[in-house]
């Protein structure tokens, strides 16, 4: 059972604890992911930077640790940081270190060999730390520098999360060389009663298209996103607004859905996220840490804890103007194998229908639902408020819901994880749609979280109710209405594993039939393995075509050899 929980196409180390994604960047042809890592066990502690590289954000090579806790200014932990590519192509990495006195300070590091596309070795600036907490700020309330953006004056600007009493804030600094900094007056933004802001992110989004924008982009046709991870409730909130460079402020479009009190990236288990601009494909990509929701005892027994969510593209939803659209990067589609398609399946009120999709532990499901229009019109209006988290989950029957999918279910439905819509009809006749995931019956184990997650999702006139669900053993990721609302769950079934896992359609509404069409793909496993050393190469049965000189060239040659082996194996499998 514990072995089954390990994912097949999500990034995670071979063993031990992982948390925040750090400094994601595309550099000299490679995607780099650094991450918070405990090399000594499956619980948080002894934090250093793990490192992996990929050509496509799906298949990864583990590389040696990038930075370890070996200086007085980071001896208690090499914490979260961000990468910035300068105008001349140089790479700077700012990160938070926890000092020998547990003070949070900001430090600079850079590649030992900028010509190395794998960025294997890093140098810490000898004059670290480059920033210490400002006067009046707590020693443990100053962390997680953002990617820098270039101002019109040619200076680089960064933001750092903090708090003043119960108000979460972002300090702003200007620098010309990443060594000397000027603390600017005021704050970029702050929201009362939200507590400490960590892992702050700040980036532009286009109002005219879905393409991503470089972090320094500003001007017409641009909005800016402020995102912060709330240390108090461990959720990631964002808001869309206007950035004023001259007075160094950001103003939300709608103060009622400001950072920390409004919209979240994800309504499940998703935290400490970080975006980067992928100049390779002109997109903004979001990484998020997906923790465990079982017991620490179980994590120690299985020898690992946490994974990274599927990387997502992020763009402004130009139809609503208030939401971001998050969607799995297109490379995920390359893992799709055989598929089953189901057209216009009618689900009467109270019905459940099994779907023959084959093995159901690695799936990509795209589904659409339509409600009976006559039932919609006949349904009585109500002023009862609905909440995914405080409801009875998929067992709570209303006139217009719930309806959706049951994934990781066994034949008897004693274990199931519903991903579904629930529609409420207001007193004015308007419809309000909720997207939810119900973990209450996800496992018969008693040491796992069984919360119900979800939130409101805008459904515009003429749109069908649509969802995409990725299932990968112990993680279920749901994307509603093109990614306006997302939910990530960690589930730990005891019966619905291996060949016993099933998928069902269901409609638990009392007053409306639902018609559904969907397509489900089996998903291949990603190629995630350590970088092959010489022994691996010898055991693979391949011989180098020429003598390789120099460690860097050897790294690249071995990577190419292993990639070809993987592609050959995958083609044979297909």
């Amino acid at each position: 059972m514990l072995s089954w929980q390990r994912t097949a196409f999500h990034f995670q180390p071979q063993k031990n604890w992982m948390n925040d994604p750090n400094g994601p960047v595309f550099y000299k042809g490679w995607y780099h992911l650094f991450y918070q890592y405990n090399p000594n066990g499956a619980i948080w502690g002894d934090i250093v930077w793990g490192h992996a590289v990929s050509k496509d954000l799906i298949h990864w090579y583990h590389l040696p640790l990038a930075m370890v806790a070996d200086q007085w200014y980071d001896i208690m932990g090499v914490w979260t940081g961000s990468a910035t590519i300068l105008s001349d192509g140089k790479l700077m990495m700012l990160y938070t270190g926890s000092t020998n006195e547990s003070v949070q300070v900001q430090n600079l590091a850079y590649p030992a060999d900028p010509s190395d596309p794998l960025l294997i070795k890093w140098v810490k600036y000898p004059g670290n730390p480059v920033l210490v907490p400002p006067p009046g700020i707590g020693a443990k309330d100053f962390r997680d520098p953002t990617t820098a953006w270039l101002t019109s004056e040619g200076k680089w600007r960064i933001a750092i999360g903090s708090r003043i009493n119960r108000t979460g804030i972002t300090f702003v600094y200007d620098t010309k060389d990443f060594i000397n900094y000027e603390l600017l007056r005021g704050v970029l933004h702050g929201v009362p009663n939200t507590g400490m802001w960590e892992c702050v992110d700040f980036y532009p989004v286009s109002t005219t298209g879905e393409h991503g924008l470089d972090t320094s982009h500003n001007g017409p046709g641009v909005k800016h996103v402020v995102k912060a991870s709330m240390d108090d409730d461990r959720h990631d909130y964002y808001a869309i607004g206007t950035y004023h460079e001259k007075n160094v402020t950001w103003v939300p479009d709608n103060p009622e859905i400001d950072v920390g009190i409004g919209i979240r990236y994800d309504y499940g288990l998703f935290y400490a996220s970080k975006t980067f601009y992928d100049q390779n494909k002109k997109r903004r990509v979001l990484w998020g840490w997906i923790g465990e929701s079982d017991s620490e005892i179980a994590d120690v027994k299985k020898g690992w804890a946490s994974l990274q969510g599927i990387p997502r593209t992020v763009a402004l939803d130009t139809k609503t103007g208030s939401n971001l659209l998050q969607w799995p990067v297109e490379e995920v589609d390359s893992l799709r194998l055989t598929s089953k398609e189901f057209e216009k399946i009618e689900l009467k009120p109270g019905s459940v229908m099994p779907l023959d999709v084959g093995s159901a532990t690695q799936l990509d499901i795209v589904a659409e639902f339509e409600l009976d229009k006559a039932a919609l019109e006949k349904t009585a209006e109500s002023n009862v408020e609905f909440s995914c988290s405080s409801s009875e989950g998929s067992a709570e029957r209303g006139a217009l819901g719930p309806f959706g999918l049951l994934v990781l279910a066994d034949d008897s439905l004693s274990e199931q994880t519903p991903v579904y819509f629930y529609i409420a009809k207001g007193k004015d006749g308007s419809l309000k749609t909720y997207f939810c995931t119900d973990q209450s019956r996800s496992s018969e184990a008693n040491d796992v979280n069984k919360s119900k997650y979800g939130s409101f999702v805008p459904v515009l006139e003429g749109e069908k109710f649509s969802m995409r669900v990725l299932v990968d053993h112990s993680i279920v990721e749901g994307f509603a209405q093109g990614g306006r609302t997302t939910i990530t769950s960690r589930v730990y079934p005891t019966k619905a594993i291996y060949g016993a896992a099933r998928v069902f359609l269901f409609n638990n509404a009392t007053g409306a039939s639902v018609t559904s069409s969907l397509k489900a793909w089996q998903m291949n496993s990603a190629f995630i393995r350590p970088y092959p050393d010489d022994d691996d190469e010898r055991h693979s049965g391949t011989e180098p075509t020429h003598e390789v000189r120099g460690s860097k060239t050897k790294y690249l040659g071995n990577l190419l050899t292993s990639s070809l082996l993987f592609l050959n194996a995958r083609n044979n499998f297909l």
Side-chain angles (χ1 to χ4, degrees):
M1 183 178 67
L2 292 179
S3 298
W4 178 87
Q5 292 173 11
R6 191 166 178 90
T7 61
F9 56 88
H10 285 72
F11 178 82
Q12 55 188 128
Q14 286 183 292
K15 61 180 181 179
N16 299 331
W17 168 275
M18 172 179 65
N19 52 294
D20 308 9
N22 294 153
V25 68
F26 182 78
Y27 187 79
K28 294 188 182 299
W30 291 90
Y31 292 102
H32 291 258
L33 176 65
F34 305 88
Y35 53 91
Q36 301 279 277
Y37 179 64
N38 179 1
N40 302 316
I43 59 175
W44 186 88
D46 302 332
I47 296 297
V48 299
W49 274 29
H51 184 197
V53 292
S54 172
K55 283 289 187 179
D56 60 5
L57 293 170
I58 302 298
H59 308 289
W60 292 88
Y61 287 104
H62 296 299
L63 291 177
L65 298 178
M67 289 192 284
V68 299
D70 59 0
Q71 303 295 323
W72 70 267
Y73 50 78
D74 61 12
I75 196 68
M76 299 300 289
V78 183
W79 289 356
T80 293
S82 300
T84 301
I85 297 179
L86 305 188
S87 306
D88 60 2
K90 291 180 181 177
L91 180 61
M92 297 291 184
M93 194 76 76
L94 290 172
Y95 72 94
T96 297
S98 183
T99 73
N100 53 352
E101 296 181 349
S102 295
V103 178
Q104 292 171 9
V105 298
Q106 313 313 317
N107 305 302
L108 172 65
Y110 36 82
D113 179 5
S115 67
D116 176 11
L118 298 182
L119 299 174
I120 293 167
K121 293 185 178 180
W122 289 80
V123 174
K124 297 176 183 178
Y125 172 59
N128 279 336
V130 295
L131 282 171
V132 299
I137 296 301
K140 297 183 178 181
D141 296 329
F142 183 65
R143 57 184 177 270
D144 310 334
T146 64
T147 294
W149 64 97
L150 196 59
T151 69
S152 60
E153 297 178 346
K155 297 178 181 179
W156 291 96
R157 184 166 288 176
I158 64 167
I160 298 175
S162 187
R163 69 181 176 97
I164 297 177
N165 299 319
R166 290 280 306 135
T167 298
I169 62 170
T170 47
F171 285 116
V172 182
Y173 293 84
D174 277 359
T175 181
K176 292 182 178 179
D177 55 10
F178 285 79
I179 295 172
N180 301 288
Y181 294 82
E182 175 190 2
L183 174 60
L184 303 184
R185 179 176 298 182
V187 298
L188 180 68
H189 193 56
V191 180
N193 299 314
T194 55
M196 175 67 193
W197 286 14
E198 56 181 0
C199 301
V200 169
D201 207 356
F202 179 73
Y203 56 90
V205 288
S206 171
T207 62
T208 60
E210 295 183 358
H211 59 283
L213 298 175
D214 180 87
T215 307
S216 298
H217 195 101
N218 199 4
V222 172
K223 287 286 186 178
H224 276 79
V225 175
V226 170
K227 166 262 166 182
S229 302
M230 299 297 146
D231 196 28
D232 281 7
D233 70 7
R234 312 298 284 180
H235 297 309
D236 281 15
Y237 294 81
Y238 73 85
I240 297 162
T242 301
Y243 167 56
H244 302 281
E245 182 190 297
K246 296 301 180 184
N247 61 8
V248 199
T249 58
W250 172 90
V251 180
D253 287 348
N254 182 354
E256 293 184 1
I257 50 173
D258 206 343
V259 182
I261 61 173
I263 302 176
R264 284 163 48 181
Y265 268 156
D266 191 292
Y267 288 87
L269 205 58
F270 187 95
Y271 194 64
S273 59
K274 186 171 291 294
T275 67
F276 74 100
Y277 176 64
D278 174 12
Q279 68 271 34
N280 181 42
K281 291 199 170 183
K282 305 296 186 287
R283 60 186 175 180
R284 183 157 291 272
V285 177
L286 169 68
W287 283 102
W289 164 42
I290 316 300
E292 302 293 325
S293 60
D294 59 355
S295 68
E296 191 173 275
I297 293 174
D299 295 342
V300 171
K301 185 178 290 187
K302 65 192 180 190
W304 58 270
S306 303
L307 44 121
Q308 298 295 328
I310 282 293
R312 310 170 178 182
T313 55
V314 182
L316 178 67
D317 181 357
T318 55
K319 293 180 180 178
T320 67
S322 58
N323 295 77
L324 295 174
L325 296 176
Q326 304 169 62
W327 200 248
V329 294
E330 62 184 5
E331 290 88 341
V332 172
D333 297 358
S334 69
L335 295 174
R336 289 172 170 174
L337 300 172
T338 57
S339 64
K340 293 283 185 71
E341 197 160 1
F342 305 85
E343 292 285 348
K344 297 189 179 302
I345 297 175
E346 185 178 356
L347 298 164
K348 299 290 186 182
S351 63
V352 178
M353 179 173 293
L355 297 175
D356 180 14
V357 299
S359 177
T361 60
Q362 293 173 214
L363 292 174
D364 184 357
I365 307 171
V366 176
E368 288 184 338
F369 301 85
E370 291 183 89
L371 275 172
D372 176 27
K373 291 182 179 179
L376 273 175
E377 294 171 359
K378 288 191 297 183
T379 299
E381 299 163 0
S382 172
N383 60 359
V384 176
E385 288 292 322
F386 178 80
S387 166
C388 295
S389 58
S390 61
S391 71
E392 295 179 16
S394 61
E396 180 164 320
R397 302 188 69 183
L400 304 176
F403 57 88
L405 293 165
L406 306 178
V407 299
L408 295 177
D410 67 340
D411 282 323
S412 69
L413 297 180
S414 61
E415 290 187 336
Q416 55 175 280
T417 299
V419 184
Y420 59 94
F421 292 106
Y422 187 102
I423 293 101
K425 192 171 186 179
K427 292 187 70 175
D428 60 356
S430 63
L431 299 178
K432 192 170 184 179
T433 303
Y434 297 85
F435 183 55
C436 315
T437 296
D438 179 3
Q439 297 181 153
S440 61
R441 288 167 289 171
S442 62
S443 175
E444 292 193 351
N446 57 17
D447 63 342
V448 302
N449 183 295
K450 297 183 180 180
S451 299
K452 295 174 280 286
Y453 298 135
S455 183
F456 165 72
V457 57
V459 179
L460 307 184
E461 187 174 352
E463 292 182 344
K464 296 178 182 179
F465 303 97
S466 64
M467 68 170 73
R468 181 177 181 181
V469 180
L470 294 175
V471 179
D472 187 5
H473 295 256
S474 61
I475 181 172
V476 177
E477 292 164 293
F479 303 83
Q481 302 307 117
R484 285 186 190 130
T485 298
T486 70
I487 306 171
T488 300
S489 303
R490 297 298 308 281
V491 294
Y492 309 91
T494 62
K495 295 179 178 179
I497 61 176
Y498 298 106
R502 302 282 185 266
V503 178
F504 296 81
L505 278 170
F506 81 99
N507 174 21
N508 211 19
T510 59
S513 294
V514 175
T515 302
S516 177
S517 296
L518 67 87
K519 191 171 185 178
W521 289 266
Q522 295 288 324
M523 294 293 275
N524 204 351
S525 298
F527 180 71
I528 303 174
R529 57 163 287 180
Y531 167 77
D533 59 21
D534 289 346
D535 286 337
D536 291 330
E537 186 175 71
R538 283 195 294 270
H539 289 308
S540 73
T542 62
E543 294 292 333
T545 56
H546 61 277
E547 184 178 357
V548 178
R549 299 184 182 275
S551 61
K552 184 173 23 177
T553 308
K554 185 167 66 176
Y555 260 91
L556 292 171
N558 286 344
L559 283 167
L560 179 60
T561 300
S562 297
S563 297
L564 291 172
L565 283 171
F566 167 71
L567 290 172
N568 287 335
R570 184 175 183 274
N571 288 336
N572 289 336
F573 174 77
L574 294 174

